[in-house]
Amino acid sequence: MAEYKSAKEKKSNTLGCLKVLLLIFNFLFWCSGAAVLWLGIWILQTKTKYVALLNSATYPACAWILIVAGVIICIIGFVGCCGAIRENKTCLIVYFVFLLIIFLLEIIAGILAYVYQDQWLRGELKGGLNSTMIMQYMAKGSEGITRATDVLQQDFRCCGVLNWRDWKANSPYFKTGPAKNMTAPNSCCISPSDGCAARDHPSNIYHVGCLDAIESYIRTYLFIIGAVGISMACLMFIGMILTCCLHSAIRRSES
């Protein structure tokens, strides 16, 4: 009888310990969910002014995956708490399934971020900037691209894609259009003013291209997205293990 009681107490202690661990995990889970949601929104907001110049959907897709994962985390953390406190196996199963979904989302976000920056970023950026920033500047219906280009050149103190000559060589607006007497947009000027880019001297306009600057800028955010995605996936894996252990302990205690 004493041995049976001791075994029962041991099971009860194990169950209680697992419940506490899962509740602690859920607290960290909520905090991480809020952080991931904020990070995704922050990345989208900080790059919004340049989004018109990026042809690829991979970069915003990574941020949106983080946002979706953050929202799901904040919602289902409650399910995990209910399952742990009430020892409800159904809630724990639902919780496990959602953890698995988030785990996959975070892995995908991390892989997309790393693969994109390693394999496609520079090539897509160069082609995208040439086809949007240079070719569509001041074109009808491309007001967003024009604004994004001006902001980009002023923020990064650059001019053109590879250098300032890109405007005169490739842009219809500066090659044969209304600004054929200008060298580049006024946003290329060190001190912007109307008609300031008529003179191409280094003391007047930026001679450095924007490609390297914006590539470095995007790589920084892609690294953050990738690191957070992989880190969150590891956290989700721990949560799935704890959930399985608690579910198993509840089932054993009931039998």
Side-chain angles (χ1 to χ4, degrees):
M1 185 73 178
E3 290 179 2
Y4 171 76
K5 188 175 181 180
S6 176
K8 191 174 181 181
E9 286 178 353
K10 188 175 179 181
K11 285 183 179 179
S12 178
N13 290 338
T14 301
L15 187 62
C17 183
L18 286 171
K19 284 169 66 176
V20 170
L21 285 174
L22 193 58
L23 287 172
I24 292 172
F25 170 80
N26 263 291
F27 174 73
L28 298 175
F29 191 47
W30 272 325
C31 293
S32 64
V36 166
L37 177 61
W38 175 83
L39 176 64
I41 293 171
W42 176 63
I43 288 172
L44 282 180
Q45 284 183 335
T46 54
K47 70 132 191 123
T48 296
K49 52 190 176 181
Y50 311 125
V51 71
L53 303 177
L54 304 177
N55 282 345
S56 174
T58 307
Y59 178 64
C62 294
W64 275 111
I65 287 174
L66 290 181
I67 291 174
V68 170
V71 170
I72 294 175
I73 288 170
C74 292
I75 293 173
I76 69 160
F78 178 73
V79 177
C81 284
C82 289
I85 294 170
R86 302 173 70 177
E87 299 181 13
N88 188 307
K89 290 187 291 183
T90 303
C91 280
L92 289 175
I93 291 172
V94 172
Y95 183 61
F96 177 86
V97 170
F98 275 108
L99 282 180
L100 181 61
I101 292 171
I102 297 167
F103 174 79
L104 295 174
L105 282 174
E106 299 292 355
I107 286 290
I108 291 170
I111 291 174
L112 278 176
Y114 282 123
V115 170
Y116 181 58
Q117 71 167 332
D118 287 340
Q119 296 184 12
W120 303 314
L121 179 58
R122 187 172 182 87
E124 285 195 6
L125 266 182
K126 185 176 179 181
L129 290 176
N130 274 316
S131 63
T132 55
M133 175 174 155
I134 301 297
M135 301 302 294
Q136 298 182 46
Y137 187 83
M138 293 299 287
K140 188 176 180 180
S142 299
E143 291 79 8
I145 289 175
T146 301
R147 284 194 300 271
T149 299
D150 289 336
V151 171
L152 172 69
Q153 294 190 140
Q154 278 296 294
D155 283 357
F156 289 110
R157 299 180 179 182
C158 58
C159 185
V161 179
L162 297 178
N163 55 56
W164 59 277
R165 292 185 178 90
D166 290 333
W167 290 109
K168 201 67 178 173
N170 303 313
S171 173
Y173 186 73
F174 291 94
K175 197 173 182 180
T176 57
K180 60 183 179 181
N181 295 324
M182 297 283 288
T183 301
N186 291 325
S187 55
C188 282
C189 295
I190 297 171
S191 300
S193 61
D194 289 338
C196 66
R199 195 166 60 94
D200 61 9
H201 194 271
S203 64
N204 187 52
I205 66 170
Y206 299 114
H207 276 215
V208 178
C210 297
L211 180 60
D212 290 337
I214 196 169
E215 181 187 4
S216 176
Y217 171 85
I218 292 177
R219 277 186 185 276
T220 300
Y221 287 110
L222 285 173
F223 178 80
I224 294 172
I225 291 173
V228 169
I230 300 299
S231 300
M232 285 296 299
C234 294
L235 183 62
M236 298 306 100
F237 187 71
I238 295 171
M240 287 189 287
I241 292 174
L242 285 174
T243 305
C244 288
C245 291
L246 182 56
H247 184 275
S248 179
I250 293 170
R251 190 172 59 185
R252 285 197 304 270
S253 68
E254 289 177 349
S255 62

